[in-house]
Amino acid sequence: MGLHHWIALPLALALPLAWGQAPAGSTQGSALVHTPASARAVVEQAAVVLPAQVTGGPVFTGRWKDAPTQVRERAPVVVFLHGSSGLGLPAIGEWQQWLARQGIASVAPDSFALPDRLTYKSPVPQGLYEQVHALRLSEISLAVQALAQAPWADPTRWVLAGTSEGATAVARYRGTEFAGRIVYSWSCEDNYFVRSHGTALPEDKPVLNIISLTDPYFSPANTWLGNPAALGHCGAALRHHKQASIVLIPGAPHTVLNLPAARHPVAGFLRDVFRLP
C-alpha cells in the first residue's frame, strides 16, 4: 500500500522531565473476567454507527442489538476499543460519526457491560493493569465472532483501533482478521502500565500510531512513567515494520481522536487500507 514510516517531529523535542514521585492511585469495583452474560452484553451494548449507504437512508446510531438486519450493502468496519473511561467519552461518538461520513461503519464494544468491573485512577499495581488488559483482549475476540455474522460488515475490510487502555489490547492482539491497526495514545513501551509491553503488531499489515508528544501518561512528560529510556511512542516496537507510521502531536491532550492533526492521517490510512475511492 506504499505506507511509510515517519515521525512527525524530532525526537529531541520529547525531552523527559525530572523524575518525580507517583501520585496515589485508587480502584473501584473488583470484576476482571467476563461472565457468559457480560460477554454477550459487550457486543449487544456496543456503540454502532452505520453509514447511509448501508441503511439506504439516515445514518444508524445506536446499540448493536438495535442495528438493522436488512441492509442495502456492506461497509468496511473499524472496531474501536475505548479507553478506561468507557463509551461515555463524547469524543468516541463524534469520531464514529466522522467515520460514517466517509462510508465506514464502526463498532465500539462496551467493556463496562461487566457488572462491578474494576476501574482505576493511575497508578495502580501492574498486576491489576495486566488483568484489565487480559479482559480487553478477550473483547476483541468477542467482536470478531459477532462481526462474522453481521449483515452490514464487509468481511474482507476490518481495521482494529483503540485508545489508551484499549490501544494496549490492540497492540497485543495476535489475531490476523484485521487489515490494519490504529494505536491511539499508547506508546508500545515498558512502563508503569504493563509488566512488559508485549506488542504483537503484525509486520505485514499497516499500522498507525498517534499520540501526543507530551502525553500525560505514556510520554517522558509523565514524571512517574517508570522508564527513563522511554521515547513516548511506538517507534522502537515498530522498527521493523515497513508499513508503519507514527504521528506525534505537540501540545495535545491524552485523547487525540478528533484533533485535525490526528484525523487527517487516519483518513488517509483508512482510505488506503479499505481501498476507498
Side-chain angles (χ1 to χ4, degrees), residues 29-120:
S30 61
L32 285 163
V33 178
H34 280 298
T35 65
S38 72
R40 291 190 298 272
V42 163
V43 175
E44 292 174 352
Q45 296 176 196
V48 173
V49 178
L50 304 179
Q53 78 266 22
V54 170
T55 66
V59 170
F60 170 82
T61 302
R63 299 301 179 189
W64 179 291
K65 61 183 178 63
D66 300 318
T69 55
Q70 300 297 318
V71 297
R72 190 173 69 177
E73 63 181 68
R74 294 175 181 262
V77 182
V78 175
V79 175
F80 181 78
L81 270 63
H82 62 69
S84 61
S85 59
L87 290 176
L89 186 69
I92 296 174
E94 182 181 345
W95 184 76
Q96 289 186 273
Q97 293 294 327
W98 172 72
L99 290 177
R101 292 194 293 272
Q102 299 173 73
I104 299 169
S106 59
V107 52
D110 182 10
S111 185
F112 288 93
L114 175 62
D116 196 41
R117 180 199 187 275
L118 183 136
T119 61
Y120 52 84

Side-chain angles (χ1 to χ4, degrees), residues 5-9 11 14 162-164 166-172 181-191 193-194 197-203 206-213 215 218-220 225 227 229-249:
H5 185 105
W6 60 285
I7 306 293
L9 289 171
L11 298 182
T163 187
S164 191
T168 307
V170 169
R172 288 178 163 186
R181 303 195 198 184
I182 305 173
V183 179
Y184 286 104
S185 303
W186 168 235
S187 62
C188 308
E189 295 181 302
D190 294 346
N191 52 40
F193 199 53
V194 292
H197 65 82
T199 302
L201 294 164
E203 293 184 13
V207 178
L208 178 59
N209 175 217
I210 304 181
I211 188 169
S212 170
L213 183 67
D215 185 273
F218 304 127
S219 81
L225 183 64
N227 181 354
L231 299 175
H233 57 73
C234 292
L238 294 174
R239 62 189 179 276
H240 299 304
H241 288 59
K242 296 181 180 179
Q243 297 187 76
S245 297
I246 297 170
V247 178
L248 305 178
I249 306 178

